[in-house]
Amino acid sequence: MSRARVHNFAISLDGFGTGEGLSRDAPFGHAGERLHEWMFATRWWHERVGEPGGTSGLDDAFVQQFTPGIGAEIMGAGKYGYPGWHEDQEWKGWWGPNPPFHTPTFILTHHTRPSIEMEGGTTFHFLDTSPAKALETAREAAGSQDVRIGGGPTVIRDFLAAGLIDHMHIAVVPIVLGRGVRLWDGLEDLEKDYDVEATSSPSGVTHLTLTRSGL
């Protein structure tokens, strides 16, 4: 069976995966881009946005693992759009006509709508269902490849609580947000089910990998 994986998900030192006050103009609320500046500096990111340069060290090695082996993605309504996006029938996500996923992408939302086919192989599908059912659907679409659980923090937390994540890469960024949505709340003793490794980068980011024991 294909694995459910999380890659490049950034949290603050105090565990927040997004800030407070999300809006169309502030996708991460008061956090701004601070959770992702380490990623923007990598060669991988520069290549994605068509710019030269970028770092090629440890941070780049981790972000390069985002795409290989992924056949579908699941994300929450809060990653797909700003609060209230479901009232805008023209909204097609933050990423323009060619989103970076290039796979079937399943949005967990109480406000479903017809699927949207984008450029580059991404098709957005809208599901109002449980994490387990969503993963079953995404696995069918992914074939023999893995399913990426893309976030935000509430969705990843729900999948962890349901015991559905096989491998997870978390980037702990050296900032303190103080408010927003935490990743780890309600997941006491989670580490007992995983082999945990931590690798420190010269950028100040600590890369945590959690792989389900026995995999």
Side-chain angles (χ1 to χ4, degrees):
M1 182 179 293
S2 66
R3 297 180 300 165
R5 295 158 40 187
V6 175
H7 286 285
N8 304 344
F9 192 77
I11 64 172
S12 62
L13 290 173
D14 47 347
F16 291 98
T18 191
E20 188 176 82
L22 278 62
S23 69
R24 189 164 186 164
D25 295 326
F28 293 93
H30 83 288
E33 300 291 357
R34 288 182 290 161
L35 285 168
H36 307 102
E37 288 173 353
W38 66 276
M39 184 188 301
F40 299 153
T42 64
R43 178 175 296 176
W44 176 82
W45 181 265
H46 280 237
E47 290 174 349
R48 289 175 73 87
V49 298
E51 297 178 355
T55 62
S56 58
L58 187 64
D59 293 340
D60 187 61
F62 271 98
V63 297
Q64 291 281 355
Q65 299 174 33
F66 178 80
T67 299
I70 296 295
E73 167 142 350
I74 298 171
M75 69 175 68
K79 177 176 178 178
Y80 178 73
Y82 61 96
W85 63 262
H86 59 277
E87 298 177 353
D88 180 358
Q89 293 302 311
E90 299 303 315
W91 181 257
K92 298 180 180 180
W94 302 103
W95 306 279
N98 188 0
F101 311 108
H102 310 302
T103 65
T105 300
F106 298 89
I107 318 301
L108 291 178
T109 174
H110 296 307
H111 303 281
T112 59
R113 60 175 58 178
S115 298
I116 303 173
E117 186 173 348
M118 307 293 288
E119 297 176 13
T122 300
T123 299
F124 292 123
H125 305 281
F126 301 86
L127 303 177
D128 184 3
T129 190
S130 67
K133 288 291 187 181
L135 184 56
E136 182 179 334
T137 300
R139 278 181 166 147
E140 291 177 1
S144 62
Q145 294 187 296
D146 292 344
V147 175
R148 185 172 51 236
I149 311 301
T154 301
V155 165
I156 294 176
R157 188 170 63 238
D158 288 346
F159 275 77
L160 285 169
L164 298 173
I165 301 294
D166 299 306
H167 175 83
M168 180 164 63
H169 163 232
I170 301 295
V172 183
V173 182
I175 62 173
V176 176
L177 290 180
R179 52 200 168 97
V181 182
R182 293 184 192 271
L183 175 61
W184 304 119
D185 287 358
L187 298 175
E188 183 177 351
D189 293 333
L190 175 72
E191 73 282 355
K192 292 181 178 179
D193 297 325
Y194 291 89
D195 298 324
V196 182
E197 296 183 6
T199 308
S200 297
S201 167
S203 67
V205 171
T206 299
H207 295 278
L208 295 178
T209 57
L210 292 84
T211 304
R212 186 179 301 281
S213 301
L215 288 182

